[in-house]
Amino acid sequence: MDLANPISPKIIRILRWIEWLLLFDCAVTNLIRADLDYLPYACWRIGLCLSALAAFSLIRLPITYPISYKRAYIIAGFSLLILVDVIQINHSALFDLFIIKACLVLPRKDAISAAVGATTVNFSQFVWQLPTRLAETNVMIDEKGIEPFLNPQTIVTDALVGTVTGTLFVLLLGFVFVAEQRSRYRAEKLAVEVEDLATKLERSRIARDIHDSLGHTLTTLDVQLALVDRYAQDTPASQASPQLRKAITRSQQLATQCLSEARESLRTIRESNFDLASALAALGDDMQKTFSLEVKVQIPSLPERLSYQLYLIAKEGLINIQKHAKATTATLFLEAKESEINLTLIDDGCGFEPTSIKQGYGLQGIKERSQLLGGQLTVKSYPQAGTKLCVSVPINATVV
């Protein structure tokens, strides 16, 4: 089944009102222009044609029907309008309205083909009937003179009905566009709310995983190391190896540091309103123990999921400097330029040759996060000359 873009029921109702308004205008206009000598016949002919058009308007717009049914619906509608035109019943802007219907239910190519084909047939019909209509008009002028065509009441009434109908037609068509824009706005707003909810759920899941696995493991490791240290202290000095006790002490320090970082990550993840600037400032304070770090943040308000991903990229880059660069100073820039966010991390460490060594998990993780955001990673580094890491992502990046 071929499914078209969804159309709100409100728009369909407004189109139905427009169609019935045009049918009313069609009835009034044709009655005003009818020859009084043949008024009963004209009423019967107008009533029959308008009844057929009104019945067709009651058919449900085939938005979600198969494409073959949609084409049949459009062809039947245009055929009915052309038949009404052959009977010489003026159908006002109904033809234009049906072109709008074709655009709503058909793919673009089919809608254009239907509109061009129906317009061509309709115009050809008009040209073919033109000599007959001119002859009938000349006969009427010969019999009754030109006065019936210059009747002020008829002209004013026809103009009034046409003006009011045209105004209402444009007004209702404007309501269609307003309703469509409001529906789109509500959809976008709902999408943002769903994205925020998904972010909170995902962060809660990650926090639980960290707490239940890594947190418990580190706590147990810390306890076990404390027991080993106590047993080592109970061992006579002659039997205890200094290297062993030093290794135990260092292991305890690392376990304590890792547990502290895990708790800090949990706290950051579980924040209800994640603030990127504050998180980077706190991260910078932690890194000051290893090297001097300057943090410069100049960005507008960003979606929470994008902010958190940028935070993780910056954190991974700083951890790489802490572990491998042997740097004394580093600078972190985060700024917005036109339609993208640029994150730049510069250090004065030992550097490396990017093309001569295999990238570790840190740089690979940064690269993958950048690609998921639709951005790219650039690394410039030389041995003993420091490293410059640049990440550019679209400011409207969609976080998967």
Side-chain angles (χ1 to χ4, degrees):
M1 180 177 291
D2 178 72
L3 297 179
N5 292 327
I7 302 174
S8 69
K10 186 174 183 180
I11 293 179
I12 295 177
R13 285 198 301 271
I14 293 176
L15 288 175
R16 181 69 57 80
W17 295 340
I18 292 176
E19 191 164 10
W20 283 84
L21 172 68
L22 295 178
L23 285 171
F24 172 76
D25 174 65
C26 180
V28 174
T29 302
N30 283 279
L31 287 174
I32 290 174
R33 297 176 182 178
D35 188 351
L36 295 178
D37 293 340
Y38 302 96
L39 187 59
Y41 170 71
C43 290
W44 176 83
R45 188 180 58 178
I46 294 169
L48 181 62
C49 291
L50 294 187
S51 297
L53 291 172
F56 193 85
S57 71
L58 295 176
I59 299 175
R60 182 180 177 183
L61 201 62
I63 302 297
T64 59
Y65 284 66
I67 188 65
S68 57
Y69 185 91
K70 295 178 181 180
R71 289 170 178 163
Y73 174 86
I74 296 299
I75 292 173
F78 278 128
S79 300
L80 182 59
L81 289 175
I82 293 172
L83 178 62
V84 169
D85 191 61
V86 170
I87 303 175
Q88 298 185 10
I89 299 296
N90 177 32
H91 47 66
S92 186
L94 281 170
F95 198 84
D96 299 327
L97 179 64
F98 225 85
I99 292 177
I100 295 176
K101 284 187 175 184
C103 294
L104 290 176
V105 302
L106 292 177
R108 181 174 298 178
K109 285 186 178 181
D110 287 357
I112 293 174
S113 300
V116 170
T119 303
T120 302
V121 173
N122 195 40
F123 184 75
S124 301
Q125 181 70 24
F126 170 79
V127 173
W128 180 65
Q129 288 185 337
L130 184 59
T132 303
R133 293 187 179 185
L134 289 176
E136 291 176 352
T137 302
N138 289 330
V139 170
M140 187 177 293
I141 292 175
D142 292 339
E143 292 179 355
K144 300 183 179 180
I146 200 172
E147 286 77 10
F149 297 93
L150 301 179
N151 188 323
Q153 293 180 345
T154 302
I155 295 174
V156 170
T157 303
D158 195 11
L160 178 62
V161 172
T163 301
V164 172
T165 304
T167 302
L168 291 176
F169 174 78
V170 174
L171 186 64
L172 290 173
L173 202 58
F175 288 159
V176 169
F177 293 117
V178 170
E180 190 273 337
Q181 289 296 324
R182 287 178 178 172
S183 298
R184 179 176 298 178
Y185 171 76
R186 285 195 293 268
E188 291 175 352
K189 186 177 180 181
L190 182 60
V192 172
E193 292 176 356
V194 170
E195 182 178 343
D196 291 340
L197 179 59
T199 300
K200 293 175 181 177
L201 291 174
E202 180 66 11
R203 284 166 60 182
S204 297
R205 184 190 66 79
I206 295 173
R208 287 195 303 270
D209 290 346
I210 293 176
H211 179 270
D212 295 341
S213 58
L214 183 60
H216 289 168
T217 303
L218 289 174
T219 302
T220 304
L221 176 61
D222 192 38
V223 171
Q224 294 300 317
L225 286 172
L227 289 173
V228 173
D229 184 52
R230 191 179 72 183
Y231 293 148
Q233 291 177 0
D234 294 340
T235 303
S238 59
Q239 299 180 13
S241 170
Q243 289 80 6
L244 174 61
R245 300 197 61 178
K246 184 177 179 180
I248 292 173
T249 302
R250 180 57 179 160
S251 298
Q252 283 183 302
Q253 291 174 350
L254 290 175
T256 302
Q257 179 185 350
C258 190
L259 186 59
S260 176
E261 291 178 355
R263 287 170 177 166
E264 178 64 21
S265 297
L266 284 175
R267 184 190 65 79
T268 302
I269 290 174
R270 283 176 170 165
E271 284 183 353
S272 57
N273 294 315
F274 180 77
D275 182 72
L276 179 57
S278 300
L280 289 177
L283 184 60
D285 292 339
D286 292 338
M287 295 297 169
Q288 295 287 355
K289 302 172 185 177
T290 308
F291 54 86
S292 176
L293 175 64
E294 182 181 7
V295 179
K296 297 181 180 179
V297 179
Q298 295 179 345
I299 57 172
S301 177
L302 298 175
E304 191 172 332
R305 299 183 74 180
L306 176 58
S307 297
Y308 188 65
Q309 292 298 320
L310 290 172
Y311 168 77
L312 293 177
I313 290 173
K315 183 177 181 180
E316 190 63 52
L318 291 172
I319 290 176
N320 276 353
I321 295 175
Q322 186 182 51
K323 289 182 177 180
H324 309 295
K326 300 178 183 178
T328 57
T329 61
T331 307
L332 173 63
F333 295 98
L334 189 61
E335 56 184 349
K337 287 186 177 180
E338 297 180 355
S339 60
E340 65 180 17
I341 299 291
N342 293 329
L343 187 153
T344 306
L345 190 56
I346 304 173
D347 69 73
D348 63 351
C350 60
F352 62 95
E353 181 60 51
T355 59
S356 64
I357 63 173
K358 184 178 180 181
Q359 293 184 357
Y361 290 112
L363 283 178
Q364 186 64 29
I366 293 175
K367 183 178 180 181
E368 291 174 355
R369 288 187 189 277
S370 303
Q371 291 174 344
L372 287 174
L373 295 175
Q376 59 181 1
L377 166 67
T378 304
V379 179
K380 295 181 180 179
S381 182
Y382 302 95
Q384 309 306 321
T387 302
K388 182 179 181 180
L389 183 148
C390 300
V391 174
S392 298
V393 300
I395 199 169
N396 59 347
T398 301
V399 183
V400 181

